[in-house]
Amino acid sequence: MKKIQFQQGNSLWKDARQRLYRNKAAMAALFFLVFMVLACFLLPLFPFIENPNATNLDNIAAPCSWEHPFGTDQLGRDLLARVLYGGRISLLVGLVATLVALMIGLLYGLISGYIGGKTDALMMRTVDVLFALPFIVLVIVFSLSIEEPSRELTESVITWTGWSRESVAPILGLVPLFIAIGALGWLTLARIVRTQTMEIKSLEYVQAARSLGLGHLRILFKHIAPNLLGTVVVYTTLAVPGIMLTESTLSFIGLGVKAPNSSWGTLIKEGADRMEVSPELLIFPSLFFCLTLLALNFLGDGLRDAIDPKTAKD
C-alpha cells in the first residue's frame, strides 16, 4: 500500500520572512541600519575615536585627513566623533520615543475599539482634539514643563550611583524629549489599532472565546492584541523616521539636545551656519541623517509588503 506523504505548510510569519528576504531594497536597508547602529554605539568605544567635545583651538576647521577623516569644526572638535555620538543620540530619541508612543497608542486603541459605544466616541473625539493642536508647539511646551524634574532626576542618579556627570547628563538630559515626543506621538497609532480591533473583535474565534466565558482582559491581550503585531511592527519602522525628524527640528531651533552634546539635528544646524566656509560640516551629518531615514522608510515598506502582501505594489 502506497504511503501518503503530506507536505508541511509554512506559517504566516515564515512566509512573511521569505517575502522580506526577496525584497532586495528592504534587506539592503536592514543591513545599513545594523551597520549604522553598530558604528554609532560601538566605534566610539575604541581609542582612535576622539572625545567629541574636546576642543583644539590649534586645529580649527581642519580639512579631511587621515587624522580627522571628516575634518574638524569651528572649535577644533573631530567631526567624525561628533557625527557618531550625534547618531547615538538621534537613534536613541527615535527608538525610545517610538516605544513610549507605541505603548500609549496600542493600549488606547485596544480599549477604544474593544469597548465601543459612547466610550469609543469620547476617546476618539479626544484624539481629534489633540490632532487639531499644533504638534511641535505642544512638544515644546511639554518638554519645557518637565525640564526641571528631569534635571532633579539627573542630580539624584549622579548622587546615588557616583557616576560622572559627563556619562549621565547627555542621556538623562534627553528624558524630557523622550517623554514629550512619545506622549504626543501616539495619536495615529491609536486610530489604526482601534480600527483593527473593531474588525477583529467581530471574528468567529473572538466570539467563541466569549462563549467559553473568557474574561475581557484575556480576550483583549491574548486573542486580539497578538493579531495586531504585524500592523504595529510596520508602524514602528515608519514612525521612527518621523520622530527622528521631529527631534532634529527641535535641535535645529535650539530646543532639543543641549550643548556641548550633539545630535544630527544640532550638527546640521551648526553646518548650515558655516556652510559657505566649511561645507563638510553640513554634508556629513546630513548624509548620515538622510541615509538613515531613507533606510528606515525602505525597511518599513518592505515589512508592510511582507506581512500584508495585498498591499504590495505590482
Side-chain angles (χ1 to χ4, degrees):
M1 184 175 179
K2 187 176 181 180
K3 188 176 180 180
I4 300 177
Q5 294 182 348
F6 295 95
Q7 185 176 3
Q8 186 177 4
N10 292 335
S11 66
L12 174 64
W13 290 106
K14 186 176 181 180
D15 288 339
R17 189 166 60 250
Q18 291 175 351
R19 284 192 291 269
L20 181 63
Y21 289 161
R22 291 194 294 267
N23 190 327
K24 296 181 179 179
M27 292 305 298
L30 178 60
F31 286 127
F32 176 80
L33 289 173
V34 171
F35 166 78
M36 187 61 63
V37 169
L38 293 177
C40 291
F41 284 88
L42 294 184
L43 275 182
L45 300 178
F46 290 92
F48 59 84
I49 299 296
E50 298 184 7
N51 186 337
N53 297 329
T55 60
N56 184 1
L57 300 182
D58 295 329
N59 199 23
I60 293 176
C64 301
S65 63
W66 286 108
E67 185 180 0
H68 303 286
F70 290 178
T72 62
D73 64 4
Q74 67 277 10
L75 295 177
R77 297 172 295 190
D78 184 68
L79 184 58
L80 173 60
R82 290 182 64 77
V83 168
L84 292 177
Y85 276 89
R88 178 186 292 185
I89 291 179
S90 292
L91 291 171
L92 274 177
V93 170
L95 292 176
V96 176
T98 300
L99 289 177
V100 174
L102 199 62
M103 290 187 291
I104 299 174
L106 183 61
L107 186 62
Y108 195 95
L110 278 170
I111 295 173
S112 178
Y114 185 77
I115 295 177
K118 294 182 179 179
T119 302
D120 173 51
L122 178 61
M123 295 176 74
M124 285 300 104
R125 296 299 76 77
T126 303
V127 170
D128 291 339
V129 170
L130 292 175
F131 257 123
L133 300 175
F135 178 72
I136 293 293
V137 175
L138 285 177
V139 170
I140 293 172
V141 173
F142 192 63
S143 61
L144 291 177
S145 65
I146 62 176
E147 195 172 51
E148 185 60 31
S150 173
R151 190 177 295 110
E152 295 176 359
L153 174 63
T154 303
E155 296 297 333
S156 300
V157 171
I158 294 173
T159 302
W160 293 339
T161 62
W163 295 341
S164 64
R165 182 177 299 275
E166 290 75 14
S167 62
V168 174
I171 301 300
L172 292 183
L174 296 175
V175 169
L177 207 58
F178 292 154
I179 299 176
I181 297 177
L184 298 171
W186 55 270
L187 303 176
T188 301
L189 178 62
R191 281 185 166 180
I192 295 172
V193 171
R194 177 245 185 188
T195 303
Q196 295 287 323
T197 302
M198 294 181 69
E199 293 179 0
I200 293 174
K201 74 176 184 178
S202 61
L203 298 178
E204 289 81 0
Y205 72 90
V206 178
Q207 300 296 330
R210 285 177 178 166
S211 65
L212 291 173
L214 298 182
H216 294 299
L217 289 178
R218 186 174 181 182
I219 293 174
L220 194 61
F221 292 104
K222 189 173 181 180
H223 296 279
I224 295 180
N227 289 282
L228 299 173
L229 183 60
T231 302
V232 170
V233 169
V234 172
Y235 174 83
T236 301
T237 56
L238 295 176
V240 172
I243 289 179
M244 289 178 62
L245 194 59
T246 301
E247 180 274 326
S248 296
T249 302
L250 293 174
S251 297
F252 190 88
I253 61 178
L255 296 171
V257 180
K258 305 301 181 184
N261 302 308
S262 64
S263 70
W264 282 336
T266 57
L267 292 176
I268 291 172
K269 179 185 182 302
E270 293 173 2
D273 294 337
R274 301 180 58 83
M275 60 180 299
E276 295 182 358
V277 180
S278 303
E280 66 275 5
L281 297 181
L282 176 63
I283 293 174
F284 289 116
S286 301
L287 184 63
F288 275 65
F289 182 63
C290 292
L291 289 177
T292 301
L293 294 187
L294 191 63
L296 284 166
N297 280 284
F298 271 121
L299 180 60
D301 288 340
L303 286 172
R304 179 199 62 197
D305 296 342
I307 294 173
D308 187 6
K310 296 178 183 177
T311 63
K313 298 179 181 179
D314 296 330

